[in-house]
Amino acid sequence: MVDVDGVDRVVDLAPYGVVSVEAALGDPAARAAADRAVAAANDGDPLLAGLALEAPVRPGKLVCLGYNYRGHVPDGVDPTTDDPEFPDVFVKTPNTLGGPHDPVVVPAASLDVDYEGEIAVVIGRRASNVPLEDALGCVGGYTILNDVSDRAWQRRQSQWAMGKCFDGFAPLGPWVTTPDEVGDPQDLLVEVVRDGVVTVSQSTATTIFSVAYVVHHVSRVMTLEPGDVISTGTPQKLPEAAEAHRPLAPGDAVTVRIERLGMLTTRFIAPEPAAHASKGLA
Amino acid sequence: MVDVDGVDRVVDLAPYGVVSVEAALGDPAARAAADRAVAAANDGDPLLAGLALEAPVRPGKLVCLGYNYRGHVPDGVDPTTDDPEFPDVFVKTPNTLGGPHDPVVVPAASLDVDYEGEIAVVIGRRASNVPLEDALGCVGGYTILNDVSDRAWQRRQSQWAMGKCFDGFAPLGPWVTTPDEVGDPQDLLVEVVRDGVVTVSQSTATTIFSVAYVVHHVSRVMTLEPGDVISTGTPQKLPEAAEAHRPLAPGDAVTVRIERLGMLTTRFIAPEPAAHASKGLA
């Protein structure tokens, strides 16, 4: 994306030999090609506003964290007292991936659909057993994930997969912002807006596990590949929003906005009638 | 695979227009082509014993169940008394997939590696919200999974992903057996042999959730695609084997054998020295 005379436009990197975002993120030659493309941008390039964007990467692995932000604590209380020793990690399956303009179907079988606004770390180069001090060097960029979850399905058993893995429950985007444009990933305000009301507003300064730690930690178990995504968990809802919890329904929209990463607005819609007809199945 | 004069040989389906196992499993035309290929098999076809097999499918989703077999109960006790209402579902990431001849590296960071011998259901045709009575029709075949797990990593947090998703922790195979050759999937003996000792021996008649129910249930959440795998959980270890639990170490081998599906033998080996050097990282 490039600003041409105050208008956001998009440059095509294919003529510059860049074939995929996943391969480009960790590749200095691709970065140089992108810089050349941006320098050559002009008002003949397509308008960003006119494009229907797909998910900016197709992650081979979409790994997520639970409970990674500290809640508010009273004055004088050490906020780290109840910190867990290890991050709680779960997986979303590939059928969950959605683009930034894709609506989310409220599934026929769903019971209590909720949102989670999160910073998603996009891996830029292969990482296995990466030391903590080298971990940020494996990050290719950052984007936004709405970790859509069905709370009732999530709580039916010990593992959360059935609440997390409905088709389309991972809208991602709108784009990947590279680390040089993000700066310190532990100094970003994460906000969620539902029905015009801010329901989440908390800085990544209050995460329990930093981006660097999470990349290091996960890479001890699984080899991370370019394009893989680790989503870093959602902040708590503000108390009044938590009290006013209402499952997402067709017609609702949720916006996640994160400093320097943009905004991800997701509309929720009803299933097609054919799918709806099977709702009554045991 | 075909028996030619008492010797297992393998026929190549590519000349018959079958390009992938995933696409072939639910396709009657592919099945007919396979039948023609088998009819034409001869002693010029490659010996099965001489081939290094890859995983028989590359699942887009590898979904697993926990706690799906009833333990032994005393006489007079209703074995269904403590059955959970819903299966406990989790996900293994693509980096876990291994072929039937691949050794599993005991990772540098691992603490307590264990085995789980399981029947893996391979999806043959797309399934979304499939009714219970149609669910077995979506199954393309069955194979064997060793759901290798690090118990210490698994128990460090509420979600099991970090114990389940080490590289190579899902050896799969040796092949996919089609439903017509399997018969009733709820009447198969699952056994595990470690160091020459049978440590697991239990029939799929004692599962809490049948293959049909599991396919139906999972398809209510995620659209299942050909080649996707749902592994149906492991039986309890026999009491003496559970008492003698010892983490798997380099040099160990585990065989999972399941009636009509074959045997999956996995060797456990040490990591390369370079990876081992990073074991001390915090």
Side-chain angles (χ1 to χ4, degrees):
Chain A
M1 186 173 64
V2 58
D3 182 314
V4 178
D5 297 336
V7 178
D8 287 329
R9 293 181 179 270
V10 173
V11 293
D12 183 1
L13 299 187
Y16 294 82
V18 179
V19 294
S20 78
V21 175
E22 291 83 350
L25 285 173
D27 178 4
R31 179 64 202 222
D35 289 342
R36 290 198 303 277
V38 167
N42 59 66
D43 60 11
D45 288 315
L47 292 168
L48 173 65
L51 296 176
L53 300 176
E54 296 185 2
V57 288
R58 296 199 75 79
K61 296 186 279 293
L62 176 45
V63 175
C64 300
L65 266 61
Y67 307 123
N68 190 32
Y69 282 80
R70 296 198 177 94
H72 298 286
V73 292
D75 283 351
V77 173
D78 176 357
T80 69
T81 301
D82 293 323
D83 283 357
E85 192 177 359
F86 299 101
D88 216 351
V89 177
F90 63 93
V91 179
K92 288 180 88 109
T93 42
N95 60 300
T96 63
L97 186 69
H101 298 158
D102 293 339
V104 170
V105 172
V106 177
S110 70
L111 298 165
D112 183 4
V113 179
D114 200 9
Y115 56 86
E116 297 189 358
E118 309 195 353
I119 295 183
V121 177
V122 183
I123 298 299
R125 64 179 175 82
R126 179 176 282 202
S128 174
N129 273 315
V130 63
L132 182 58
E133 60 270 26
D134 297 339
L136 284 183
C138 299
V139 174
Y142 301 87
T143 186
I144 302 174
L145 177 79
N146 188 336
D147 174 19
V148 183
S149 309
D150 187 300
R151 300 300 179 201
W153 279 82
Q154 183 178 344
R155 293 190 188 115
R156 280 175 158 176
Q157 57 288 302
S158 82
Q159 301 303 294
W160 301 340
M162 294 294 277
K164 297 289 190 178
C165 294
F166 280 92
D167 292 352
F169 267 29
L172 188 77
W175 41 71
V176 178
T177 304
T178 49
D180 56 304
E181 299 200 344
V182 172
D184 182 359
Q186 306 313 138
D187 183 29
L188 299 171
L189 182 64
V190 177
E191 291 195 305
V192 179
V193 182
R194 177 180 178 175
D195 304 334
V197 177
V198 174
T199 62
V200 168
S201 181
Q202 194 162 338
S203 167
T204 55
T206 63
T207 55
I208 297 167
F209 301 103
S210 68
V211 170
Y213 182 83
V214 168
V215 171
H216 152 67
H217 182 70
V218 173
S219 85
R220 297 188 70 195
V221 166
M222 54 189 95
T223 299
L224 297 167
E225 304 285 352
D228 282 355
V229 167
I230 306 176
S231 198
T232 54
T234 189
Q236 274 77 6
K237 285 179 186 159
L238 297 169
E240 54 271 37
E243 281 164 28
H245 170 71
R246 175 176 63 77
L248 289 165
D252 285 333
V254 172
T255 295
V256 184
R257 62 185 182 206
I258 301 181
E259 271 184 285
R260 300 196 280 287
L261 303 188
M263 293 202 309
L264 176 69
T265 295
T266 301
R267 294 180 303 112
F268 291 79
I269 65 171
E272 297 291 317
H276 200 261
S278 64
K279 180 154 188 170
L281 292 171
Chain B
M1 188 172 63
V2 58
D3 182 314
V4 178
D5 298 335
V7 178
D8 286 330
R9 293 180 179 273
V10 173
V11 293
D12 183 3
L13 299 187
Y16 293 82
V18 178
V19 295
S20 77
V21 174
E22 291 83 352
L25 285 173
D27 178 4
R31 178 65 202 219
D35 289 342
R36 291 198 301 279
V38 167
N42 59 65
D43 60 10
D45 287 317
L47 292 168
L48 173 65
L51 296 176
L53 300 176
E54 295 185 2
V57 289
R58 297 199 74 81
K61 297 186 277 296
L62 176 45
V63 175
C64 301
L65 266 62
Y67 306 123
N68 190 32
Y69 282 79
R70 296 199 176 93
H72 298 286
V73 292
D75 284 352
V77 173
D78 177 356
T80 70
T81 300
D82 293 323
D83 283 358
E85 192 177 359
F86 299 101
D88 216 350
V89 177
F90 63 94
V91 179
K92 288 180 87 112
T93 43
N95 61 300
T96 62
L97 186 68
H101 297 158
D102 294 340
V104 169
V105 172
V106 176
S110 69
L111 297 165
D112 183 3
V113 179
D114 200 8
Y115 56 87
E116 297 189 358
E118 309 195 354
I119 293 182
V121 176
V122 183
I123 298 300
R125 63 178 176 83
R126 180 178 281 204
S128 174
N129 273 314
V130 63
L132 183 59
E133 60 270 25
D134 297 339
L136 284 183
C138 300
V139 174
Y142 300 87
T143 186
I144 303 172
L145 177 80
N146 188 337
D147 173 20
V148 183
S149 308
D150 187 299
R151 301 299 178 202
W153 279 84
Q154 183 179 344
R155 294 191 188 114
R156 277 176 161 175
Q157 57 287 304
S158 82
Q159 301 302 294
W160 301 340
M162 294 295 276
K164 296 290 191 177
C165 294
F166 280 92
D167 293 351
F169 268 27
L172 188 77
W175 40 72
V176 178
T177 304
T178 48
D180 56 305
E181 301 201 342
V182 171
D184 181 0
Q186 306 314 137
D187 183 28
L188 299 171
L189 182 63
V190 177
E191 292 195 303
V192 179
V193 181
R194 178 181 177 176
D195 302 335
V197 177
V198 174
T199 61
V200 168
S201 180
Q202 194 161 339
S203 166
T204 55
T206 63
T207 55
I208 297 167
F209 301 103
S210 68
V211 170
Y213 183 83
V214 168
V215 170
H216 153 67
H217 182 70
V218 174
S219 84
R220 296 187 72 196
V221 167
M222 56 188 94
T223 299
L224 297 168
E225 304 285 351
D228 282 357
V229 166
I230 306 177
S231 198
T232 56
T234 189
Q236 275 77 7
K237 285 179 186 158
L238 297 169
E240 54 272 37
E243 282 165 27
H245 170 71
R246 175 176 64 77
L248 288 165
D252 284 334
V254 172
T255 295
V256 184
R257 61 186 183 206
I258 301 181
E259 271 184 284
R260 300 195 281 284
L261 303 188
M263 293 202 308
L264 176 70
T265 296
T266 302
R267 293 180 303 114
F268 291 79
I269 65 171
E272 296 291 317
H276 200 261
S278 64
K279 179 154 190 172
L281 292 170

